[in-house]
Amino acid sequence: MSNRAPGLVVELTAKLYDADSDIRYMSLNDLSTLFKEKGPAITPDLHACNKVADGFVNTLNDPNGEVQNLTIKCLDPFTLASHPETLRTLLQKLTTLTTENAVDSSVSAMAVRAMVVAIPNHGFFRVSQQRLTDMYLAISRVLIPCLVGYNPITQKEKGLTTSPPTGLLERDLEQGTDSNYIDVLIEITKSFGRFLRKEERQALLDVSMKLLESERAGSAMKKKALQAISRLAKFFSPEVLSTFLSHLMESLRQPHITVANRRLYISLLGSLAQATKHLGPHLKTLSPFIFAALSQADLDQQMENSDEGERDPQGDELREAALATLETLLLVFPQDMALFQDETLQAVIRFLKYDPNFSFEDMDEDEPDEDLDLDEDFEQDDVGDDDDDFSWKVRRAAAKTLYSFIASNTNTVLETPSIFETILKVLVERFKEREENVRLQVLQTISYLIQNTQQHVEPEPPQFPEAIDQTTAQIPYSSSRKRRRGESYAMLESPKFGRFTGSVSPASRSPPREGAAAYLVKMKPHITKELLALIKSSTPASKQTALVALRDLVIAQRGGLDEFLNETLGLLNDHIDPAGKNVDVAVGSGTGSAASVQIEAIRLASDLAKAHSSSAIQPLMAKAIPVVVSAARSRSPTVSSEALGTLEQFIKVLTPPRIANVNQKTSAQLEQLINVLVDVMSVKTADLAIRQKAISILGILLGRTCNSKGSKLLSETKRRESLNQLYEMSKNETLRHATYTTINTMGKTGTSDGTFDSSWLSKVLLDMSDHLRRTDRSIRGASLVALRTFISDRAASSDLDDKTNKQLISDLQPLLVSGDLHMIGPCLVIFAAMARDCSVDIVDDDFVANICSLVASDNASLAIDQLCVLMNSIGQRGNGKSLMQALLQNVGIGGSPAVVGKVIGELLVAGEGSVGVKIPDFLNELKTTRDNKRKCLALSVLGEVGLRSGPSSSLTPELFTSHFISKSEDVSLAAATALGRVAAGSGNIKSYAPVILSNLKGGARDQYLVLHSVKELFQYGDNATEMGPFMGPLWEASVAAAREEKSRTIGAECVANLAIVDPNTYLSSLRELLNDQGSSVRGTAILAFRDVFTATDTSYDKHLEPTLMEVLAAMLKDEDVENRRSALNTFNAAFRGKFKLVLPHLPGLVPLIIKHTHADPALIREIDMGPFKHKIDDGLEFRKVAYEILYSLLELTVTTQIDISAIYDRLVDGLGDDHSIRSLCNLMILKMARGRAPREETSARLDLVVDKYRVILATQLKETAVRYEIEQQEEAIKGAVKTSLELASTFPPKGPHGGEQAGNTGAQGTRMGGVRGSGTSGSRGVVRNVEDDKGDTTGVRSAKWATFLSELWTKKAEMCKEWDKQRRAAAAAKQNGVSNE
């Protein structure tokens, strides 16, 4: 830092008094730059700072407006760099400044405001605590006394101003002016509200109320006062709030209160509701004032008081404000407002129909005029003076409030037929609304209502279940009747909610007989007619919103528009291709534009094809395909992408298994679709995502025609050309991954042999294998998956020539020793298929060496099933001799005996004497060797041999029980495991069980070994029910083992197996163990239930269903800490394995899960580490598991079935928890924001999220922080920045400047802005508002959120610079050969 900087400040300050305005301007500019760059580092003395302050005061009174403006800008960096005493002095001078020469008389208030907002603009997390304290003291000692006219703090405190001037705000009130000092008050409450003392807040509240209630204050000043009060309300104590509300109610009770004041007070209630959560208990006494303003009596009285029948516009403003406040209360306090459901619904419906200047009474509601031109009708001149008609704002507010009523009382609306019918009927009636904004809001509301009535549909059955887990699907010896761990298909059995894929024709469903869904079915024809009328002749924005509503109706009803399909598709064709000449109309994507209407029409066409049967939709394809094909060639990426998605649905309609009739016309249509897909993916200038999507859809078409019925739809020439096109696309670096994924999909869907030409398949597979050596992991993964599909599932290696197979073997072998488990498993399955089908012998020296290296590694245990599959194929082929010798000589006891023994045993049995060794060799090894590891290996081999040999095995139980007495625990345990496997393989449990259970009479060690044998018997045995006579003693032994810590886990497994084999006897006994006095026994029962949930299929569910809720609740309420931890894991297993059973009980179970997300002070202990004390949170693991469960809940359930608000509160709280929990919460909050929760739930918590993120960004690590702590803090900051910026894209700050607009007290900011589908996103959600022309209302009204985002952009820029600097340093170090972590 240059030593000349302080002197330069003095020189520039002197020039502020120069006669030349240009010199004054340039000096200010230089000072501003100097303070921004150097900041506090300049550290001039108090005298120099005072000189600069005096110069600024002088230039604020400058006759040149540009000099004044630049002075105000200079105050921002000067506030951060000046001496603390100067801050107070300057504020004192500015508040008493008389601007004689200034152009603007409010310049002093603007200057003061610039100083107040300097720290928030710079970012609280970037300002030192001392500077923050200095600024607060200056505000407290100087500014607040000047604003209110007295000192709120006692005069006895040292350093306080003793004689403040007359209050600036009172002076404005007396003179009837607005000097903008009320803006200063707002900024103080916004930026420093949490620092203010109770007396200061009270003083600011008093002066704000004085402004609000004064008749001399203008409307703008009253709105600002309203905003200031709402800011202060965040810091109200319950006592202060109660006193304030009492004053408010007394004012509203005044008999002669004006309509304007009444509106202000009611608006203030809405602001208070957004600011404080303590308002709920007071709503019983406050709500009547709101409903009084919305009553029919109040409306009639106003009409009586009107002169000559003319309505007072202030009355409509009052009703609009009352509805906005009511909307806020519904969203913020839904439980408290549940008491006023009837009053709310009556008021909303009353004013949704409120249109004194127009009436539809003469129209026939049941027979709408199909030719009604709404655009022309809305512009008639004889319906009244619309310029003075504000009633449409009341109707719009009523529609918004009705939307919020549905959102906050969804269950009540859907479960109460009278309420649902009333709401649906009135909304349909208001489709004729003449005002655009109101009509859009009505359509949005009915769309949201329909979404909530969407029937929960069962998922389509998976067409190719073997493709779910190829690594285990080929295991031929999994004979257990139970599900093997790692092979769970529970998630396939779980109902998925939301959209269907259209892969198969939707099954017909009987209509519901009662409830909301039944009434919706009854009203469906009328709703459809009305929506089609709007689509046919209305404004673009109304057309778009009507299309969205019709889509929601189609999705909710799973079709049901068969009688309207022809008319609907005709209208859609007109909007997809309005010109009728294949003209691209998608220019622009704004709300209500031609492009947005076109996009929604395309999406609706797609949903119609998904939801209706092929017999109904296929005859209309000839009309729909040409226009959608035209849209697919659009220059707009969004239009083209949506059109391609619709073509995908058309392809599914025209191909098996959906196709209804195969004819020549269908073949021509498919060839037309192939042509457009090839054209789109071949255009090099097209958007990459569009080309990738076209490739994927082409693969779907080719895959679905690879069967006996579908092969007739495409000629061989066309199929060959299409396959060659795909191969050419795979040569493109950017399209390779999409092409390989598409080819894999084709391999899975095709069912006919010989579908793919061998020469084409050969070159494609060779290209894929070549890319296994590339560094791009995604390409490697896609290549390997496709190779597995063709070679393992389709046995393609038998169709390939020897040269190709040899090259594939060579390319695949390096993966065996790569250490990458994601690659090793599929690679082993591929080799197993090649060993079975390929004419080339895969077992060479390199292969043997790689397999031995893998078996000896730690990864072998994780890929043991795939290794056994490979050994089985090699043994059956008869060429495993060299491999067996290598395993025995090169691996042997070098690996895990259990793993190596299993691999050798599998190869030995499959080889049937061709592998060079026989069973007697291992028997001899067991008898002669003294090496315990070799004994373990021999026992493991023999156990596997006995399991695979079956009844033909000559191994006796005594061979293994004789080793139970071995001094080595490893040997005895290996013997017990082998005995259980041999017993399971023999098929003669009755002869083995007595021998095994005879050891139960021994000591604890023998019982422990017996339980291991029994576990293996249950796991691999097919006839476990033959254990019936022995189950009683085994149960007692298992429960006894549960009381010992060492055998607790094995005891739990045996108990679970008994409950699975004989649920009628032992499942109830297992439930009783949950009430045992011993915590270890209860813990064993919890672990056993986890195994039951994961190891049983759906046939077992009937035994669990009656008491599942009781079981899970008892676990989660267990007193023991470790048991509760196990209970959380067990609940997670139940949720994933028994989804259908758990789903109905979620409302009662979720609160128990949420309870475990709270930090328990009893689990936090403090330990001494030398001179330091360290806190250890033993409850951290609980919270981690609980938050993981919440993540699963958001992934797999419908949010209406759980208390989403309670979960959201825990997510916000979790942002201040441990790093791992914080990361999960960031992900879940983004899921909530993207549609898993109502939009208002997210917008209502943005301020709380800001508070949490500010703490993260402001965290300062100690100088002694270790690298782990530094990295965690960096990740926390990155997570906060990333999540905030993604939230900002969905919840932008409302207002022209990104901040809060004064006077807006409604809850409009709690809903989405804009019309859904106007952008590139196709996500589902509530339709956005389309407001009037008063400003941008598409975002969230939160000044804290806006301020935080503005700070965050600066923070993000700094982080990017730092990361770039680090990357450059790392690159330089690498270039110089320096090791840099």
Side-chain angles (χ1 to χ4, degrees):
M1 186 64 63
S2 174
N3 294 329
R4 189 172 177 271
L8 186 58
V9 171
V10 176
E11 293 178 12
L12 293 173
T13 302
K15 295 180 181 180
L16 297 180
Y17 298 92
D18 196 282
D20 191 342
S21 61
D22 290 339
I23 294 178
R24 298 195 300 272
Y25 183 88
M26 294 305 299
S27 299
L28 285 168
N29 188 60
D30 292 342
L31 280 172
S32 177
T33 303
L34 190 62
F35 281 119
K36 285 179 181 179
E37 293 179 352
K38 311 296 183 181
I42 296 179
T43 61
D45 57 22
L46 176 60
H47 179 72
C49 280
N50 288 338
K51 285 290 186 182
V52 176
D54 291 340
F56 286 160
V57 172
N58 179 67
T59 52
L60 282 173
N61 200 19
D62 199 291
N64 189 309
E66 293 182 356
V67 173
Q68 284 184 324
N69 292 336
L70 189 54
T71 303
I72 294 173
K73 292 180 180 179
C74 286
L75 288 172
D76 186 301
F78 177 73
T79 301
L80 300 172
S82 64
H83 195 281
E85 289 295 333
T86 305
L87 291 177
R88 304 172 199 173
T89 304
L90 181 56
L91 282 176
Q92 186 74 49
K93 291 181 179 180
L94 290 178
T95 54
T96 58
L97 176 65
T98 303
T99 53
E100 299 174 355
N101 301 323
V103 177
D104 188 354
S105 60
S106 64
V107 68
S108 64
M110 295 168 62
V112 172
R113 183 182 180 278
M115 293 183 66
V116 173
V117 301
I119 290 180
N121 287 346
H122 195 65
F124 283 102
F125 49 83
R126 298 165 56 196
V127 178
S128 67
Q129 186 65 34
Q130 184 59 47
R131 174 58 55 175
L132 197 59
T133 303
D134 293 339
M135 191 63 201
Y136 163 67
L137 291 176
I139 291 173
S140 176
R141 297 177 181 181
V142 178
L143 190 53
I144 292 179
C146 291
L147 290 174
V148 302
Y150 64 94
N151 197 328
I153 309 299
T154 174
Q155 301 291 329
K156 295 181 180 180
E157 293 194 26
K158 182 179 179 181
L160 296 180
T161 304
T162 57
S163 56
T166 303
L168 296 171
L169 295 174
E170 290 188 8
R171 186 182 65 187
D172 284 348
L173 200 57
E174 294 172 358
Q175 297 176 358
T177 60
D178 183 3
S179 64
N180 287 339
Y181 271 106
I182 183 64
D183 295 322
V184 175
L185 190 152
I186 293 173
E187 293 299 338
I188 291 175
T189 57
K190 180 170 69 174
S191 303
F192 294 90
R194 63 182 183 274
F195 302 107
L196 298 178
R197 301 186 188 183
K198 181 174 65 174
E199 296 84 358
E200 292 170 334
R201 292 172 186 160
Q202 186 62 46
L204 295 177
L205 176 62
D206 292 341
V207 71
S208 298
M209 283 300 297
K210 192 171 184 179
L211 291 172
L212 186 66
E213 296 174 342
S214 174
E215 296 180 358
R216 304 191 61 177
S219 59
M221 182 171 284
K222 288 188 175 183
K223 289 181 179 180
K224 292 179 182 179
L226 200 65
Q227 185 179 353
I229 295 171
S230 65
R231 291 288 179 189
L232 288 167
K234 296 180 180 180
F235 311 103
F236 282 179
S237 64
E239 296 77 14
V240 173
L241 179 63
S242 179
T243 303
F244 180 77
L245 291 177
S246 298
H247 171 75
L248 206 59
M249 287 187 287
E250 287 298 325
S251 301
L252 285 168
R253 289 192 184 100
Q254 295 296 324
H256 302 294
I257 185 174
T258 63
V259 176
N261 283 344
R262 195 177 175 192
R263 175 176 60 84
L264 282 174
Y265 290 138
I266 292 178
S267 298
L268 182 55
L269 288 177
S271 298
L272 292 175
Q274 290 179 316
T276 176
K277 294 183 178 180
H278 303 301
L279 193 66
H282 300 275
L283 291 181
K284 290 183 180 180
T285 54
L286 291 173
S287 296
F289 295 103
I290 301 173
F291 290 117
L294 298 173
S295 64
Q296 183 64 42
D298 191 83
L299 182 61
D300 295 340
Q301 183 179 2
Q302 181 194 349
M303 294 302 297
E304 292 177 2
N305 296 336
S306 300
D307 297 333
E308 299 179 0
E310 294 183 2
R311 293 179 297 106
D312 184 2
Q314 288 190 355
D316 288 342
E317 293 177 0
L318 168 63
R319 284 180 277 277
E320 182 188 12
L323 287 167
T325 298
L326 185 59
E327 179 189 12
T328 304
L329 295 176
L330 287 169
L331 294 173
V332 180
F333 304 102
Q335 296 180 350
D336 297 288
M337 290 300 294
L339 299 174
F340 304 98
Q341 286 181 355
D342 294 340
E343 294 88 340
T344 301
L345 192 58
Q346 292 173 7
V348 168
I349 292 177
R350 178 183 302 117
F351 288 101
L352 190 60
K353 300 177 179 179
Y354 175 66
D355 193 356
N357 289 348
F358 194 83
S359 176
F360 287 102
E361 291 179 356
D362 297 333
M363 291 189 176
D364 188 352
E365 295 180 359
D366 296 328
E367 298 292 337
D369 187 357
E370 299 291 339
D371 298 325
L372 177 64
D373 191 336
L374 295 173
D375 285 336
E376 295 179 1
D377 188 67
F378 294 154
E379 296 176 1
Q380 294 179 4
D381 295 330
D382 57 352
V383 296
D385 188 359
D386 286 344
D387 293 336
D388 297 329
D389 179 22
F390 297 99
S391 63
W392 67 270
K393 294 185 178 181
V394 178
R395 297 195 300 277
R396 184 185 63 181
K400 291 179 180 179
T401 307
L402 182 56
Y403 177 100
S404 300
F405 177 83
I406 297 171
S408 58
N409 300 277
T410 303
N411 292 334
T412 302
V413 171
L414 297 181
E415 295 170 3
T416 310
S418 59
I419 295 179
F420 182 84
E421 294 173 12
T422 302
I423 294 175
L424 186 62
K425 185 176 180 180
V426 74
L427 286 173
V428 175
E429 290 175 358
R430 296 312 301 170
F431 282 0
K432 302 182 181 70
E433 171 62 50
R434 61 193 178 92
E435 175 58 42
E436 175 79 3
N437 290 329
V438 183
R439 190 183 337 128
L440 292 177
Q441 187 61 55
V442 168
L443 289 170
Q444 294 166 31
T445 305
I446 197 171
S447 180
Y448 183 66
L449 180 64
I450 292 172
Q451 287 177 33
N452 281 282
T453 59
Q454 178 177 345
Q455 300 173 11
H456 296 169
V457 296
E458 296 293 331
E460 298 178 17
Q463 293 181 332
F464 314 102
E466 70 277 7
I468 300 302
D469 190 355
Q470 293 290 343
T471 60
T472 57
Q474 299 294 330
I475 299 175
Y477 48 81
S478 179
S479 57
S480 172
R481 74 173 188 83
K482 300 184 296 182
R483 291 197 315 230
R484 291 171 58 90
R485 291 182 185 176
E487 298 178 348
S488 173
Y489 291 92
M491 298 312 297
L492 294 180
E493 301 163 3
S494 305
K496 295 181 177 63
F497 302 99
R499 297 217 174 171
F500 31 89
T501 64
S503 296
V504 296
S505 190
S508 59
R509 290 172 174 266
S510 58
R513 299 180 180 179
E514 56 184 12
Y519 189 72
L520 182 61
V521 171
K522 179 181 177 181
M523 289 287 293
K524 180 171 59 179
H526 184 50
I527 296 173
T528 304
K529 289 180 181 179
E530 295 286 352
L531 290 174
L532 290 177
L534 286 172
I535 297 171
K536 182 178 181 181
S537 58
S538 184
T539 62
S542 292
K543 288 181 179 181
Q544 180 183 356
T545 317
L547 285 167
V548 172
L550 191 55
R551 284 178 62 206
D552 288 325
L553 183 62
V554 170
I555 294 169
Q557 296 293 303
R558 287 297 298 267
L561 300 187
D562 297 62
E563 57 182 305
F564 299 99
L565 274 179
N566 192 20
E567 179 185 359
T568 304
L569 281 176
L571 282 176
L572 295 182
N573 290 343
D574 294 339
H575 289 87
I576 295 173
D577 188 10
K581 300 179 181 179
N582 296 340
V583 177
D584 186 5
V585 299
V587 179
S589 59
T591 299
S593 66
S596 58
V597 175
Q598 183 185 29
I599 289 170
E600 285 301 336
I602 294 171
R603 290 174 178 168
L604 179 55
S606 175
D607 286 331
L608 288 173
K610 283 182 188 178
H612 291 84
S613 65
S614 297
S615 58
I617 200 73
Q618 186 178 348
L620 304 175
M621 287 292 97
K623 184 193 304 184
I625 287 178
V627 291
V628 181
V629 165
S630 171
R633 291 191 169 98
S634 170
R635 293 170 295 174
S636 168
T638 306
V639 174
S640 180
S641 177
E642 294 294 342
L644 287 173
T646 302
L647 290 181
E648 178 183 345
Q649 298 306 319
F650 289 174
I651 288 171
K652 291 177 180 178
V653 170
L654 298 173
T655 54
R658 280 199 64 177
I659 188 171
N661 300 307
V662 178
N663 50 49
Q664 194 65 29
K665 183 184 295 185
T666 306
S667 300
Q669 291 170 345
L670 287 178
E671 291 199 3
Q672 181 184 5
L673 293 174
I674 288 179
N675 291 335
V676 69
L677 292 173
V678 171
D679 291 344
V680 171
M681 72 185 191
S682 301
V683 178
K684 296 181 180 180
T685 57
D687 187 83
L688 178 61
I690 300 300
R691 300 179 69 187
Q692 292 174 341
K693 191 168 187 176
I695 291 172
S696 175
I697 297 172
L698 179 60
I700 292 173
L701 191 155
L702 295 175
R704 289 173 69 93
T705 54
C706 291
N707 50 59
S708 57
K709 189 176 182 180
S711 59
K712 302 175 183 178
L713 295 172
L714 284 182
S715 64
E716 287 300 320
T717 302
K718 196 65 178 178
R719 182 181 301 279
R720 191 179 305 110
E721 291 176 354
S722 302
L723 291 174
N724 289 332
Q725 283 287 343
L726 279 179
Y727 176 68
E728 291 300 320
M729 292 298 104
S730 69
K731 296 179 180 179
N732 188 313
E733 187 73 28
T734 58
L735 300 175
R736 183 171 293 126
H737 184 274
T739 306
Y740 285 172
T741 303
T742 298
I743 293 174
N744 176 60
T745 302
M746 292 164 50
K748 289 180 179 179
T749 54
T751 58
S752 297
D753 295 331
T755 302
F756 303 102
D757 179 70
S758 59
S759 61
W760 178 86
L761 188 60
S762 177
K763 61 184 180 182
V764 168
L765 295 183
L766 285 177
D767 277 0
M768 290 179 177
S769 67
D770 181 62
H771 284 89
L772 294 175
R773 298 191 295 266
R774 303 297 175 89
T775 57
D776 190 332
R777 183 175 176 81
S778 62
I779 295 295
R780 289 163 55 202
S783 302
L784 189 61
V785 169
L787 285 169
R788 182 184 64 182
T789 297
F790 280 93
I791 296 177
S792 177
D793 301 348
R794 300 184 63 87
S797 59
S798 60
D799 299 329
L800 303 176
D801 56 75
D802 291 349
K803 182 179 179 181
T804 301
N805 282 323
K806 288 180 180 179
Q807 186 61 47
L808 290 174
I809 294 170
S810 175
D811 291 339
L812 286 166
Q813 284 197 31
L815 296 181
L816 295 175
V817 291
S818 64
D820 189 341
L821 284 174
H822 296 285
M823 301 291 178
I824 292 174
C827 184
L828 290 170
V829 174
I830 293 173
F831 274 125
M834 296 187 76
R836 182 187 65 235
D837 306 322
C838 180
S839 59
V840 177
D841 186 5
I842 69 169
V843 182
D844 55 18
D845 293 342
D846 292 337
F847 178 81
V848 170
N850 290 331
I851 289 295
C852 289
S853 177
L854 174 60
V855 173
S857 69
D858 295 335
N859 292 329
S861 61
L862 301 175
I864 186 62
D865 290 336
Q866 292 82 8
L867 276 169
C868 289
V869 172
L870 177 59
M871 295 301 108
N872 186 274
S873 297
I874 293 175
Q876 291 181 0
R877 186 75 175 265
N879 55 355
K881 184 175 181 179
S882 59
L883 180 57
M884 176 64 80
Q885 291 177 352
L887 288 172
L888 292 173
Q889 296 175 6
N890 301 336
V891 181
I893 60 175
S896 170
V899 174
V900 179
K902 192 174 179 68
V903 171
I904 293 176
E906 181 67 37
L907 183 59
L908 179 63
V909 175
E912 295 181 351
S914 65
V915 293
V917 292
K918 298 181 179 180
I919 297 176
D921 296 329
F922 293 96
L923 291 173
N924 184 58
E925 176 77 7
L926 181 61
K927 292 179 181 179
T928 60
T929 185
R930 294 185 178 181
D931 188 338
N932 290 331
K933 288 188 176 180
R934 293 186 181 278
K935 285 186 178 181
C936 289
L937 178 59
L939 287 168
S940 180
V941 171
L942 293 172
E944 192 68 18
V945 168
L947 175 65
R948 301 304 169 207
S949 299
S952 62
S953 174
S954 60
L955 301 176
T956 62
E958 291 75 17
L959 174 67
F960 303 99
T961 55
S962 62
H963 290 85
F964 278 19
I965 60 175
S966 174
K967 294 181 179 180
S968 171
E969 291 187 5
D970 292 337
V971 173
S972 58
L973 187 58
T977 303
L979 176 60
R981 292 187 178 185
V982 172
S986 68
N988 187 9
I989 294 179
K990 291 183 178 179
S991 62
Y992 274 82
V995 178
I996 295 175
L997 298 180
S998 63
N999 291 276
L1000 284 177
K1001 299 178 181 179
R1005 185 172 185 269
D1006 289 340
Q1007 290 183 1
Y1008 177 71
L1009 295 174
V1010 168
L1011 292 179
H1012 273 281
S1013 297
V1014 172
K1015 185 197 77 169
E1016 297 295 322
L1017 194 155
F1018 277 123
Q1019 183 171 348
Y1020 294 102
D1022 286 335
N1023 302 313
T1025 53
E1026 296 181 9
M1027 290 285 293
F1030 314 101
M1031 287 185 179
L1034 185 58
W1035 174 268
E1036 296 177 359
S1038 300
V1039 175
R1043 302 184 187 277
E1044 300 291 335
E1045 186 64 29
K1046 176 183 176 181
S1047 56
R1048 178 179 174 183
T1049 303
I1050 187 64
E1053 293 187 24
C1054 290
V1055 166
N1057 285 322
L1058 289 169
I1060 293 172
V1061 172
D1062 188 2
N1064 295 325
T1065 302
Y1066 294 106
L1067 186 59
S1068 58
S1069 299
L1070 181 57
R1071 288 196 296 267
E1072 292 175 2
L1073 293 182
L1074 292 173
N1075 301 320
D1076 194 272
Q1077 296 296 323
S1079 61
S1080 61
V1081 176
R1082 296 197 306 274
T1084 299
I1086 293 173
L1087 293 175
F1089 268 112
R1090 183 186 64 185
D1091 292 341
V1092 170
F1093 293 143
T1094 57
T1096 56
D1097 55 24
T1098 53
S1099 63
Y1100 193 85
D1101 291 356
K1102 60 184 179 182
H1103 302 290
L1104 292 171
E1105 187 172 9
T1107 58
L1108 182 65
M1109 176 65 183
E1110 176 187 346
V1111 167
L1112 292 175
M1115 294 179 188
L1116 294 170
K1117 295 177 181 178
D1118 198 285
E1119 298 176 354
D1120 187 77
V1121 174
E1122 290 299 323
N1123 287 351
R1124 289 204 305 273
R1125 181 183 302 175
S1126 299
L1128 288 171
N1129 290 317
T1130 301
F1131 175 87
N1132 208 7
F1135 181 70
R1136 294 183 174 276
K1138 303 295 179 185
F1139 185 86
K1140 291 182 180 180
L1141 297 184
V1142 176
L1143 190 63
H1145 304 296
L1146 283 180
L1149 293 172
V1150 170
L1152 299 177
I1153 302 299
I1154 292 177
K1155 181 180 178 181
H1156 288 87
T1157 63
H1158 293 269
D1160 187 354
L1163 298 178
I1164 300 176
R1165 52 193 172 91
E1166 193 175 77
I1167 61 174
D1168 294 330
M1169 299 182 67
F1172 306 102
K1173 292 186 180 296
H1174 182 64
K1175 289 185 177 181
I1176 296 179
D1177 187 356
D1178 292 326
L1180 179 59
E1181 292 302 321
F1182 287 96
R1183 301 200 298 280
K1184 286 182 181 179
V1185 177
Y1187 276 106
E1188 289 170 0
I1189 293 174
L1190 294 183
Y1191 185 87
S1192 299
L1193 288 172
L1194 295 182
E1195 283 282 307
L1196 302 173
T1197 60
V1198 177
T1199 53
T1200 55
Q1201 296 172 306
I1202 54 180
D1203 187 356
I1204 201 68
S1205 181
I1207 292 179
Y1208 219 144
D1209 289 340
R1210 298 311 307 149
L1211 298 186
V1212 174
D1213 191 69
L1215 294 175
D1217 210 316
D1218 182 74
H1219 173 70
S1220 56
I1221 293 177
R1222 183 165 52 234
S1223 299
L1224 265 179
C1225 290
N1226 283 332
L1227 292 174
M1228 286 188 278
I1229 286 175
L1230 288 178
K1231 283 187 178 292
M1232 293 283 205
R1234 292 167 182 164
R1236 294 301 295 165
R1239 183 178 174 86
E1240 54 270 12
E1241 292 286 349
T1242 301
S1243 59
R1245 291 172 174 81
L1246 286 177
D1247 286 357
L1248 299 176
V1249 172
V1250 168
D1251 293 338
K1252 295 292 184 180
Y1253 284 157
R1254 283 195 185 279
V1255 174
I1256 294 173
L1257 297 174
T1259 300
Q1260 300 282 341
L1261 294 178
K1262 298 179 180 178
E1263 295 181 358
T1264 57
V1266 297
R1267 179 172 180 177
Y1268 172 73
E1269 295 174 329
I1270 296 173
E1271 290 177 349
Q1272 273 201 348
Q1273 178 61 15
E1274 289 178 352
E1275 289 300 321
I1277 293 175
K1278 290 178 184 178
V1281 172
K1282 179 181 178 181
T1283 306
S1284 299
L1285 295 181
E1286 290 198 30
L1287 285 173
S1289 64
T1290 309
F1291 298 88
K1294 182 176 287 187
H1297 303 293
E1300 182 175 2
Q1301 301 211 15
N1304 294 331
T1305 59
Q1308 296 90 337
T1310 58
R1311 201 188 288 106
M1312 300 177 78
V1315 176
R1316 183 182 66 201
S1318 61
T1320 59
S1321 173
S1323 62
R1324 301 292 299 169
V1326 182
V1327 184
R1328 299 181 177 181
N1329 286 332
V1330 179
E1331 298 281 2
D1332 56 0
D1333 57 355
K1334 287 190 175 182
D1336 178 20
T1337 58
T1338 62
V1340 176
R1341 182 173 289 111
S1342 169
K1344 180 184 287 188
W1345 177 236
T1347 303
F1348 177 71
L1349 289 178
S1350 64
E1351 298 171 3
L1352 208 58
W1353 281 111
T1354 305
K1355 181 72 174 177
K1356 179 187 176 186
E1358 292 180 353
M1359 291 170 62
C1360 290
K1361 289 180 181 179
E1362 182 63 26
W1363 296 336
D1364 184 63
K1365 182 179 178 181
Q1366 293 176 2
R1367 284 193 296 268
R1368 291 175 182 273
K1374 184 177 181 181
Q1375 185 176 1
N1376 296 331
V1378 179
S1379 175
N1380 189 330
E1381 290 183 347

